[in-house]
Amino acid sequence: MITVKTFTFNPVAVNTCVLHDETGDAVLVDCGCVTPAEERALSDYVSGQGLTVKRLLCTHLHLDHVLGNRFAERTYGVRPEAHRDDTEQLPPPEAQIRFMRLPLSVEFVKVENFLTDGETIAFGRSELTALHTPGHSPGSLCFYAPKDGFVLAGDVLFQSGIGRTDLWGGDFDTLMASIRERLLTLPDDTAVYPGHGPSTTVKREKRNNPFL
């Protein structure tokens, strides 16, 4: 059974998730730690639980979701994995920093390992399925664990909200199609862990999300 541990990191309050099972194998999703205190919080949890980090997954490649990738590579020897469309259609993080005029000096890791729609991501005795859900960004991915009943939704679907579509490659109609066809078709009791804010369920969003 997969344990989901969530940290909220960096000035944009990104949810960084550590997923691990009874084997001690783990994956990091959206490693957003940027300060020494945030890096220490993540590493203390990993070491305290006796985990071995096997993979580094990115729901998408907007700046706030990749700030900790160099730390993860340096600390655990893992390199980021994402959908190719984001690497080809989004500006690199350095350009995103300049565009947003953020006072950040961060070393980034180039994404060279690409995930595809429907791909199985295995670790320990557990599996995730990558779901391509464009709209917030061209290569947005959600990571679904059918046996454990949850999905990591990135910035596609939030509690009572949806991802913004005014950034590079965003498109409202595409986003809504992704939500309706890929997420709302999951079982109602599926827990949804978004890239920002509190968790929710598919059922709650069907009933209460004003955008749906």
Side-chain angles (χ1 to χ4, degrees), residues 20-21 46 53 60-62 70 73 78 85 93 105 112 120 158 168 170 174 177 193 203:
H20 57 96
D21 68 10
V46 170
V53 176
H60 62 295
L61 298 180
H62 285 156
R70 178 63 75 186
E73 182 200 38
V78 290
D85 286 355
S105 179
E112 298 175 329
T120 297
F158 303 116
W168 309 275
T174 302
Y193 295 94
K203 183 177 182 179

Side-chain angles (χ1 to χ4, degrees), residues 110-209:
K110 183 178 181 180
V111 177
E112 298 175 329
N113 302 319
F114 302 112
L115 298 168
T116 58
D117 182 51
E119 182 172 343
T120 297
I121 299 159
F123 64 100
R125 299 192 182 100
S126 302
E127 291 184 349
L128 305 171
T129 300
L131 306 177
H132 185 209
T133 49
H136 175 65
S137 74
S140 284
L141 292 167
C142 295
F143 300 112
Y144 177 44
K147 294 181 180 178
D148 295 87
F150 70 84
V151 63
L152 304 184
D155 287 3
V156 175
L157 179 66
F158 303 116
Q159 184 184 105
S160 299
I162 61 172
R164 60 189 295 181
T165 57
D166 59 336
L167 297 173
W168 309 275
D171 182 80
F172 178 80
D173 291 338
T174 302
L175 176 67
M176 295 304 294
S178 291
I179 293 171
R180 293 194 173 106
E181 295 170 10
R182 307 308 304 272
L183 297 183
L184 299 188
T185 55
L186 300 178
D188 279 354
D189 60 353
T190 301
V192 179
Y193 295 94
H196 304 269
S199 61
T200 183
T201 65
V202 168
K203 183 177 182 179
R204 184 191 186 281
E205 298 316 299
K206 283 181 177 178
R207 291 184 173 182
N208 300 313
N209 194 308

Side-chain angles (χ1 to χ4, degrees), residues 8-14 16 31-35 38 63-68 196:
T8 301
F9 288 148
N10 73 49
V12 193
V14 163
T16 292
C31 191
C33 52
V34 68
T35 67
E38 291 175 346
L63 170 67
D64 49 325
H65 291 255
V66 301
L67 286 170
H196 304 269

Side-chain angles (χ1 to χ4, degrees), residues 29-97:
V29 183
D30 288 354
C31 191
C33 52
V34 68
T35 67
E38 291 175 346
E39 293 172 353
R40 188 165 55 251
L42 178 60
S43 61
D44 283 354
Y45 180 81
V46 170
S47 61
Q49 296 293 318
L51 305 179
T52 301
V53 176
K54 295 292 190 178
R55 301 178 76 164
L56 172 59
L57 310 180
C58 306
T59 61
H60 62 295
L61 298 180
H62 285 156
L63 170 67
D64 49 325
H65 291 255
V66 301
L67 286 170
N69 283 358
R70 178 63 75 186
F71 169 77
E73 182 200 38
R74 185 174 66 246
T75 306
Y76 304 113
V78 290
R79 294 184 63 82
E81 303 177 53
H83 195 282
R84 185 183 294 272
D85 286 355
D86 268 11
T87 65
E88 294 179 346
Q89 299 182 47
L90 295 186
E94 296 87 350
Q96 295 183 41
I97 286 179

